Amino acid sequence: MTAPLGLRHIEARHPARRGAKSRMQTIRIKTSSLPLFAGAATAVTAVGALLALGDLDSPLRGPCTLFFLLAAPAAAIGVALRGLDPFGRTLCALAGAVVADMLIAQSMLAVHHWSVRGGVVAVTVLSLLLLFLVLLREQISGKHPQH
């Protein structure tokens, strides 16, 4: 095998030069660690809501509240989008969470009743309502399967 000009010996023998696809090395998350991540995310979300509602001074108040404002609606939207692949569901859920937060903030500003507590309560109510509606839809569709 003669190497084209400018290629080192190792590059000339690489399987990709002959059209072979090489496996990408990825970091795999073990499935046994997913419940741990879910529990930690739930704890951070709960702490963020409590710090915001309790009006407590803490350096963690801002980041944890922001995480709550993104995670609560994203989780509810993610449950509603079970039919999508995981990446698409995550992307749509995060985009929907941002949209829901912006609509709530814009509504509160439009009626001149902006407050952090009110925003957290509104996001909580919206997320729980969406989650309740999804669970209700699943329960109804389970009782009356569509043919």
Side-chain angles (χ1 to χ4, degrees):
M1 174 186 261
T2 60
L5 216 52
L7 293 179
R8 296 183 308 210
H9 178 66
I10 189 88
E11 293 170 337
R13 293 185 311 148
H14 196 273
R17 298 265 313 142
R18 295 185 301 275
K21 305 268 188 210
S22 62
R23 288 184 46 183
M24 291 182 61
Q25 293 180 355
T26 57
I27 299 173
R28 301 264 183 217
I29 297 175
K30 295 180 181 175
T31 57
S32 62
S33 63
L34 288 178
L36 179 66
F37 288 137
T42 303
V44 171
T45 301
V47 167
L50 291 176
L51 287 174
L53 292 174
D55 200 26
L56 301 171
D57 284 336
S58 171
L60 296 177
R61 179 181 175 188
C64 290
T65 303
L66 179 63
F67 186 76
F68 169 78
L69 290 174
L70 286 175
I77 293 170
V79 169
L81 299 174
R82 283 195 182 148
L84 294 177
D85 64 308
F87 179 72
R89 184 169 61 182
T90 303
L91 189 64
C92 289
L94 285 175
V98 170
V99 168
D101 290 341
M102 292 298 170
L103 285 173
I104 289 171
Q106 190 68 24
S107 300
M108 291 175 71
L109 288 171
V111 296
H112 303 289
H113 287 291
W114 169 254
S115 72
V116 174
R117 282 185 186 171
V120 169
V121 169
V123 167
T124 304
V125 168
L126 180 72
S127 300
L128 289 175
L129 180 66
L130 180 61
L131 188 60
F132 174 72
L133 289 174
V134 169
L135 295 176
L136 184 67
R137 181 190 70 184
E138 288 179 357
Q139 186 178 21
I140 290 172
S141 67
K143 290 180 182 177
H144 305 291
Q146 297 176 355
H147 297 289

